[in-house]
Each structure stands twice: as structure tokens, then as C-alpha cells.
Amino acid sequence: MAVNTQQYLSITAELKKKNVALVAVSKIKPVEDILEMYQLGQRDFGENYVQELADKQTRLPADIRWHFIGHLQGNKVKYIAPFVHLIQGVDSFKLLAEINKQAQKNNRVIDCLLQVHVAEEETKFGFDEGELLELVQSEQLTSLKHIRITGLMGMASFSDDENKVRSEFRKLKQLFDTVAASPVGGPAFTILSMGMSGDYEMAIEEGSTLVRIGSLLFGARIR
Ligand SMILES: *Cc1c(COP(=O)(O)O)cnc(C)c1O
């Protein structure tokens, strides 16, 4: 139960060269591990569970940028709205409206990524292509003044078929370019969050600007 320092240093060196951001996925890992990586210089951490995130946030340095990367339920937005840096997995207009409401209460603007579903698995959350394009073309989003859409997030299938994984990343990049050219695009729309421990190198080849890596850095998660 510790940080893989060598791995961390080599991955961050590689990402820096390629100008790709790293979110260290610390779900289920103890605050001691997060602090250890913080001391190596890491500031962006990703968590999947609201309760766990809210608890860790109070116990760790205030300059950590917390990314919520899990499936977010509307009734839990209020617990992270005061401090969250980026909500990566927004998968419905209803959730966006709730984030907007809670951000307003906290007198801030919350950055969000729209989650896109391109993988085969039924269990993955997100907008499908049609829903995404409909949402970004509509006027709906312009009324939400307390959220800012800064990019897209997606996951490829868990598969050994490299061609399949690659084509899903390629699809995400294509959708990213389409949304960037829509009314939702603009100077702040810059993040394409794709790639995890097993597939981040391929994701970067296909245009990822932010990777979310957990087990490669913190070791396997055993619950
Ligand atoms: C857990 C998780 C990750 C990190 O997965 P690893 O395979 O451990 O790198 C990345 N993204 C999301 C959305 C996750 O839930």
C-alpha cells in the first residue's frame, strides 16, 4: 500500500513531454498515499465516491484540485459543490441543471466535462452520439450561467482488441472536434479526458489531453 514512485516519475515525465495532464485516481486509497504523491508534486486527484471525496477533502491540503470522475447522483452534488475542481462525468441535462443550482448557491462557476458513451458495455454511463449533438446544438445550455463545459470525457471498452479500443478513442476525438466547433465550444473547451492505466498511451496517440490513472500509480485496488 504505497505509491509507485518510479512509475509516477516516469509517467509524469512522459506526459509532460506530450503536454498531457494527469489526474491521479485515488479512489479507495488512503489519505497517506495521496499525501505521498502530493509530496512528489501531484496536485490533481480523481475520486469516484461523493462521501469518500468529501471526507478526504477535509483531511488533505487545500490546494489539491479534486476531480469527480464517477457517476454523480443529483442529490449528492451539494456535498462537493463548494470545492470540486472539475466534474468529469456529467451524463444528463438534469444533472447539469443541478450542478448549476448548487454552484450558484456557492457563488461559483463549476467546470464540467460531458461524458460520452462510445464503448460497447451497457454499464457505461454517458450521452450517446445523438444525444450529445442534440444537447450541444440546443439553446438549453446557455441558460446555465454557473457551469462551464470545458471538454469531453470517455472510456473505451475493456477489450484486448486494440483496433476496437483505438477506434473508440478516435470516435471520442472526432466528437470532441465537433463539439468544439458548436456553440458549446470556445476558448475554454480544451479537455479531452480519455485513457486509464491500461490504455492511456493509445489514448494519447488518438488525441487525449488528460489521462486518469489509478492502479499503475497506487497499485491494484482491493476492497
Ligand atoms: C477507476 C477509474 C480510473 C482509473 O482506472 P485505472 O485502471 O486504475 O487506471 C479512470 N477513470 C475512471 C472513470 C475510473 O472510474
Side-chain angles (χ1 to χ4, degrees), residues 59-176:
R59 296 166 62 196
L60 284 157
D63 64 341
I64 287 181
R65 294 184 289 264
W66 292 105
H67 297 243
F68 191 81
I69 63 170
H71 178 64
L72 183 55
Q73 287 170 280
N75 61 359
K76 297 198 172 158
V77 175
K78 57 178 177 282
Y79 300 113
I80 60 171
F83 65 85
V84 70
H85 174 69
L86 178 63
I87 298 179
Q88 293 211 10
V90 182
D91 59 3
S92 71
F93 179 77
K94 201 170 158 217
L95 181 57
L96 279 173
E98 178 62 21
I99 295 168
N100 185 69
K101 182 175 145 194
Q102 296 299 333
Q104 182 162 21
K105 276 192 186 165
N106 286 278
N107 205 11
R108 61 185 297 233
V109 173
I110 295 180
D111 286 353
C112 299
L113 305 183
L114 300 175
Q115 183 170 354
V116 191
H117 174 100
V118 292
E120 219 163 52
E121 287 98 351
E122 277 298 322
T123 54
K124 297 232 162 108
F125 293 101
F127 295 98
D128 66 29
E129 178 173 1
E131 293 164 341
L132 177 73
L133 298 179
E134 194 183 311
L135 177 69
V136 301
Q137 302 299 344
S138 75
E139 296 288 290
Q140 281 180 298
L141 289 178
T142 54
S143 65
L144 305 180
K145 302 295 183 203
H146 289 267
I147 57 153
R148 185 170 72 155
I149 308 292
T150 56
L152 301 184
M153 184 265 227
M155 275 182 263
S157 299
F158 287 108
S159 167
D160 292 333
D161 183 346
E162 283 202 5
N163 291 328
K164 180 189 174 69
V165 172
R166 190 178 290 281
S167 74
E168 290 171 353
F169 285 143
R170 206 162 276 178
K171 183 79 213 175
L172 282 167
K173 168 65 170 152
Q174 185 207 321
L175 290 170
F176 175 83

Side-chain angles (χ1 to χ4, degrees), residues 25 27 48 69 153 155 196-198 212-215 221:
V25 177
K27 62 186 176 207
N48 287 49
I69 63 170
M153 184 265 227
M155 275 182 263
M196 315 180 10
S197 289
R212 310 174 308 269
I213 301 182
S215 43
R221 289 178 295 271

